[in-house]
Amino acid sequence: MLQGTRSVGIPTFENQNGSMMESAGGSSIVDVRFRDGKRQSVFRSYTFSYMDRPNLTVLTPALVTRITFEGKRTTGVDCIYNGKTHRISAGHEVVLSMGAIQTPKVLMQSGIGDEVELQHHGIPLVQHLPGVGQNFQDHPAIGCVWEYQKPPPPRAGSVTFFWKSDPNLDTPDIPD
């Protein structure tokens, strides 16, 4: 696929983050962990082996509802766990990694986003950041299943691309 996209003038990138996301579009190998031809869980790869540490707690299923602040400094999060609201304080930092829908939702519920939109919903402003919650794009995918007579060789990864269906668009509208 990389050769195919390159052959029609679509640039290729070392990975899908950074330069590719800041450009007019392109194609790259997807950042996915594989071992012995099988896709690996990020949780199992990076977090599971540290579960016994006293400074790590994994709560499933907990729902983060907002970031807490002292002025503009993050201090923790509020979450719902076992039907009750809990405030969890952060010693050093708060990292949001909840996907394309939940991350901006929590940011906006916390007062980070477009000032007019937040005021419309009665949310006190912490930081005017108008791009939060904008430009959502769905990424449809079609799964296929093949049966092989013999096991296929291990996969190194898959490829993704983002491109414009119309050169006049500001950003790509065609995800892989």
Side-chain angles (χ1 to χ4, degrees):
M1 184 168 163
L2 287 176
Q3 289 175 342
T5 57
R6 194 178 302 118
S7 75
V8 295
I10 297 174
T12 57
F13 293 85
E14 187 173 321
N15 66 58
Q16 67 192 42
N17 302 304
S19 297
M20 183 170 141
M21 290 293 110
E22 299 298 325
S23 74
S27 180
S28 74
I29 301 292
V30 176
D31 291 332
V32 179
R33 293 185 47 81
F34 283 93
R35 183 178 299 139
D36 300 325
K38 294 181 182 177
R39 187 172 179 173
Q40 299 294 299
S41 156
V42 172
F43 176 79
R44 287 267 177 209
S45 296
Y46 295 103
T47 307
F48 187 75
S49 61
Y50 299 109
M51 290 293 290
D52 60 345
R53 290 189 175 185
N55 64 341
L56 174 64
T57 303
V58 177
L59 300 176
T60 58
L63 175 67
V64 173
T65 56
R66 64 184 289 274
I67 305 165
T68 58
F69 296 93
E70 285 180 10
K72 290 191 177 186
R73 184 182 166 275
T74 58
T75 58
V77 297
D78 286 347
C79 71
I80 298 171
Y81 180 67
N82 286 338
K84 295 180 181 176
T85 300
H86 299 270
R87 177 157 288 175
I88 300 172
S89 297
H92 296 285
E93 62 186 336
V94 173
V95 176
L96 293 184
S97 181
M98 299 180 292
I101 305 296
Q102 287 299 103
T103 299
K105 176 184 175 188
V106 169
L107 287 169
M108 291 187 295
Q109 288 175 168
S110 304
I112 300 173
D114 182 82
E115 183 174 13
V116 173
E117 187 71 22
L118 296 175
Q119 285 177 345
H120 177 74
H121 293 282
I123 300 171
L125 181 70
V126 172
Q127 178 67 49
H128 174 63
L129 199 57
V132 175
Q134 301 300 309
N135 199 28
F136 288 126
Q137 294 183 21
D138 197 0
H139 296 265
I142 299 171
C144 299
V145 177
W146 286 271
E147 289 188 23
Y148 290 92
Q149 297 296 325
K150 59 182 182 175
R155 289 178 47 187
S158 55
V159 175
T160 187
F161 74 92
F162 296 91
W163 201 245
K164 298 176 185 180
S165 62
D166 178 346
N168 296 316
L169 293 172
D170 290 334
T171 59
D173 64 333
I174 303 174
D176 73 332

